[in-house]
Amino acid sequence: QKLFQNVSEKSSKYPKPEVKFTYGTAGFRLKAELLPSVMYRMGLLAVLRSRACGSKTIGLMITASHNPVQDNGVKLIDPMGEMLEADWEKYATELANSDEVGKCLKDLTEQVKLKSAEWNVVGNVVVARDTRPSGSELAQAALDGAEAFGGKFNDLGILTTPQLHFIVRCINDPKYGTASEEGYYKKISSAFVKLTKSVALSPVNVDGANGVGAPKMSELAKHLKNVLPVSVFNDGSTGKLNENCGADFVKVGQRGPEGVEITVGGRYVSVDGDADRIVYFYHDNSGGFHLLDGDKISTLIASYLKEKLEESCLNLDHGLGVVQTAYANGSSTAYLEDILNVPVACVKTGVKHLHKKAHDFDIGVYFEANGHGTVLFSVEFKSKLEKAKQGPDLGPKKKAALEELESSMNIINETVGDAMSDMLIVEAILSKKEWDLPTWDKCYQDLPNRQRKVQVKDRTVIVTTDAETKTTSPQGLQGEIDTLVAKVKKGRSFVRPSGTEDVVRVYAEAETREDADSLALAVAGKVF
Ligand code: 16G
Ligand code: ZN
């Protein structure tokens, strides 16, 4: 009781503004000055979550990813390094909006069925933030919350989002790695060195989005000295965070970032403001810009892992598959299914949906077209790999394949999409295949596509089904879309209400640029 009273008293330092907060797919994300009360309360919730998970450590990441520098946000990380369990998103929303913090917290404590004996067990929280100037003050508010509720709190300073996910996982599951930033670099860089020991590597140029990805990529580069040359641009010394640079700018605008001089033949990557997304790009001989997005990355990784899986002769029940969303380019899906013979699952937009579905496979590769993605390896896969390595009479090919699978797994950050580890696995695969970016790009050609936003009075009237590929309401809309799509070659289009903005999004693709543009425009006209 005293505990909740203390929580209430301390909360007066962080008055709640007149805002309706929602814990969405990206946690809470707003203008930074609106966030102190939310941070205090997420400090509380993280402690409660920890107690509900038997004192396992919970992560609290302060970032607004690709959004402008004046924004910030917060996401909680569950014990195995995964995103906060969906049920708890509504508790987060409730607590953030409550006018009586102590009472709300007490209600939640009862609701999550914590026995009174468990109310005072240790609650462990680790926090990290990106490079936004508002971050340290917001971290302090979260710390105050955790302390007020009697939790133990460890401030890890500035990290990328995936680094914090990794560290949380290692704290709770020490065999995953050493729970520190250094442990992270050591694990992924030593696996990379092992995987690429007999191949030549090409220098890579990183657009750090003027954010946390820049210094952390430089740190990673130190661990790869004399192996993989990495040059970092947009390191925050002059430019603004995410302004005219970064993965989101490059993907949405289909053009190169400012602050990077692009030379023909060079390899380029852009990461976003918290380094959980990555895209590749290059210029062709005539200076034309080419983007290799999340679809290109997932097809590359899937083709390589599938080959190694076949060479290793591991017998798995669920095999390898790829998870995409409706935004995946139709050419990438066709390439996976028809050329690589890899099963493809399509799910709703949002990392949590992809991550969940990827668990259906022994090796589940998932990427959003925007460059967020990773690979999940099943428990069964891991134990069969371990056993096979010890088997007698391994031929050299089989042995090599098993080792390559193991190294790949150690490069990849299974907890969440991770720009740094995704870059390393892509670089390893490209160098083993002796491919440059244009060769990789030629695997399949993207269908021209167009996205539009439509402002409507109430976007919730649009109801979708089949992983957002079809609408069921308003009545008749799907029929109209079908008619428009049927008129163009290789046409595909869908509409969905945005989860992050008050708009309806329209996607269209077709064989030609003109058809894709006019299809998007025509479908948008039906939504309006
Ligand atoms: C969020 C999602 C991202 C998705 C985007 C779609 C996470 C961590 N992030 O940023 O995966 O692509 O929303 O936004 O789940 P939209 O609903 O506005 O199109
Ligand atoms: Zn991000």
Side-chain angles (χ1 to χ4, degrees):
Q1 293 305 351
K2 273 233 314 270
L3 202 54
F4 298 108
Q5 206 179 326
N6 190 40
V7 160
S8 280
E9 279 161 18
K10 298 260 163 70
S11 76
S12 59
K13 193 171 159 197
Y14 301 105
K16 187 180 89 68
E18 281 305 310
V19 178
K20 167 91 178 84
F21 298 107
T22 311
Y23 194 101
T25 43
F28 294 108
R29 204 175 280 184
L30 294 108
K31 294 271 160 284
E33 64 267 20
L34 296 172
L35 282 167
S37 69
V38 172
M39 291 295 165
Y40 175 81
R41 293 157 191 230
M42 288 308 103
L44 303 172
L45 193 74
V47 172
L48 181 61
R49 178 73 183 144
S50 172
R51 288 184 179 139
C53 296
S55 295
K56 291 240 188 292
T57 298
I58 298 297
L60 190 152
M61 181 70 201
I62 301 174
T63 178
S65 189
H66 61 276
N67 290 128
V69 65
Q70 61 277 14
D71 292 6
N72 217 324
V74 57
K75 292 185 266 197
L76 297 190
I77 301 167
D78 263 355
M80 290 307 271
E82 297 181 324
M83 294 169 76
L84 179 68
E85 189 184 291
D87 272 354
W88 281 64
E89 293 181 1
K90 60 177 190 288
Y91 303 153
T93 299
E94 252 174 68
L95 191 59
N97 291 300
S98 168
D99 292 320
E100 290 174 280
V101 185
K103 183 175 177 302
C104 181
L105 188 62
K106 183 164 181 288
D107 291 347
L108 289 177
T109 304
E110 279 160 9
Q111 211 170 321
V112 302
K113 304 201 168 57
L114 267 194
K115 296 184 202 78
S116 51
E118 296 165 330
W119 285 11
N120 282 309
V121 300
V122 189
N124 290 300
V125 184
V126 287
V127 68
R129 57 181 195 273
D130 68 16
T131 53
R132 285 174 164 80
S134 57
S136 69
E137 214 175 294
L138 293 173
Q140 184 61 44
L143 181 147
D144 282 354
E147 270 186 350
F149 198 27
K152 266 173 69 182
F153 189 97
N154 194 356
D155 185 353
L156 302 181
I158 293 173
L159 292 175
T160 70
T161 294
Q163 285 178 329
L164 184 63
H165 282 257
F166 173 89
I167 289 170
V168 168
R169 169 71 175 261
C170 295
I171 295 172
N172 296 306
D173 176 18
K175 48 181 199 316
Y176 196 71
T178 307
S180 66
E181 187 179 345
E182 184 63 18
Y184 168 89
Y185 298 125
K186 281 210 170 121
K187 180 177 175 184
I188 68 173
S189 63
S190 62
F192 178 79
V193 169
K194 200 168 167 201
L195 187 56
T196 58
K197 61 179 178 292
S198 49
V199 294
L201 291 152
S202 307
V204 16
N205 302 288
V206 177
D207 157 24
N210 292 315
V212 64
K216 302 307 182 187
M217 278 283 189
S218 301
E219 208 50 48
L220 176 66
K222 286 186 203 157
H223 289 80
L224 295 168
K225 233 190 335 209
N226 308 325
V227 185
L228 178 70
V230 181
S231 309
V232 179
F233 299 86
N234 291 329
D235 62 2
S237 53
T238 50
K240 256 195 183 169
L241 177 65
N242 295 325
E243 196 171 275
N244 301 324
C245 62
D248 199 61
F249 173 85
V250 170
K251 167 72 183 165
V252 174
Q254 314 250 338
R255 62 193 154 134
E258 282 176 16
V260 186
E261 201 172 317
I262 305 175
T263 51
V264 173
R267 257 157 142 100
Y268 296 88
V269 307
S270 275
V271 308
D272 74 339
D274 62 341
D276 61 355
R277 274 163 66 173
I278 187 167
V279 294
Y280 270 77
F281 59 92
Y282 67 97
H283 275 182
D284 61 28
N285 293 334
S286 39
F289 174 84
H290 295 261
L291 176 73
L292 295 132
D293 64 2
D295 299 338
K296 278 264 154 72
I297 296 173
S298 78
T299 52
L300 180 75
I301 297 176
S303 76
Y304 170 74
L305 292 179
K306 180 169 192 245
E307 191 183 301
K308 295 302 139 192
L309 196 55
E310 280 165 3
E311 290 168 6
S312 74
C313 305
L314 284 181
N315 211 339
L316 297 163
D317 292 342
H318 305 289
L320 178 143
V322 170
V323 186
Q324 301 186 318
T325 71
Y327 287 107
N329 197 276
S331 295
S332 73
T333 316
Y335 175 73
L336 285 163
E337 289 179 334
D338 305 338
I339 310 288
L340 299 180
N341 282 313
V342 166
V344 179
C346 182
V347 299
K348 274 169 70 169
T349 302
V351 174
K352 65 180 170 192
H353 303 294
L354 288 111
H355 193 94
K356 182 156 177 261
K357 189 69 189 171
H359 277 305
D360 286 359
F361 302 100
D362 285 304
I363 300 182
V365 182
Y366 76 81
F367 270 84
E368 288 194 304
N370 66 21
H372 186 117
T374 188
V375 186
L376 304 185
F377 300 89
S378 72
V379 174
E380 191 197 350
F381 169 80
K382 287 175 186 171
S383 75
K384 285 200 171 154
L385 176 70
E386 205 44 51
K387 238 186 243 146
K389 268 184 7 192
Q390 266 121 47
D393 324 317
L394 288 176
K397 192 160 185 185
K398 204 162 145 184
K399 183 163 182 279
L402 290 168
E403 281 173 2
E404 289 191 35
L405 282 171
E406 184 175 45
S407 296
S408 303
M409 196 165 76
N410 286 329
I411 293 174
I412 288 162
N413 184 345
E414 285 186 73
T415 62
V416 75
D418 182 337
M420 283 195 271
S421 84
D422 287 342
M423 181 183 88
L424 292 189
I425 191 72
V426 168
E427 289 303 322
I429 296 170
L430 290 179
S431 59
K432 292 179 90 65
K433 288 184 185 269
E434 295 181 29
W435 281 5
D436 56 10
L437 298 193
T439 309
W440 171 21
D441 202 12
K442 276 200 274 283
C443 286
Y444 65 86
Q445 206 186 350
D446 275 326
L447 286 172
N449 57 88
R450 178 65 60 205
Q451 294 194 40
R452 303 188 73 94
K453 291 185 201 184
V454 188
Q455 304 274 353
V456 293
K457 231 190 259 145
D458 177 11
R459 71 187 199 279
T460 62
V461 299
I462 306 268
V463 181
T464 65
T465 182
D466 285 356
E468 302 175 321
T469 55
K470 291 197 170 62
T471 55
T472 51
S473 151
Q475 237 201 350
L477 177 60
Q478 189 55 47
E480 293 183 308
I481 296 174
D482 291 343
T483 309
L484 291 168
V485 165
K487 285 187 197 152
V488 298
K489 267 203 185 139
K490 299 202 176 165
R492 187 170 70 89
S493 179
F494 64 90
V495 303
R496 54 177 282 276
S498 161
T500 62
E501 272 184 86
D502 193 13
V503 294
V504 172
R505 297 202 194 281
V506 175
Y507 176 92
E509 65 182 34
E511 195 170 67
T512 66
R513 161 70 33 223
E514 297 71 44
D515 279 354
D517 288 350
S518 56
L519 180 59
L521 189 64
V523 171
K526 298 294 177 193
V527 172
F528 192 67

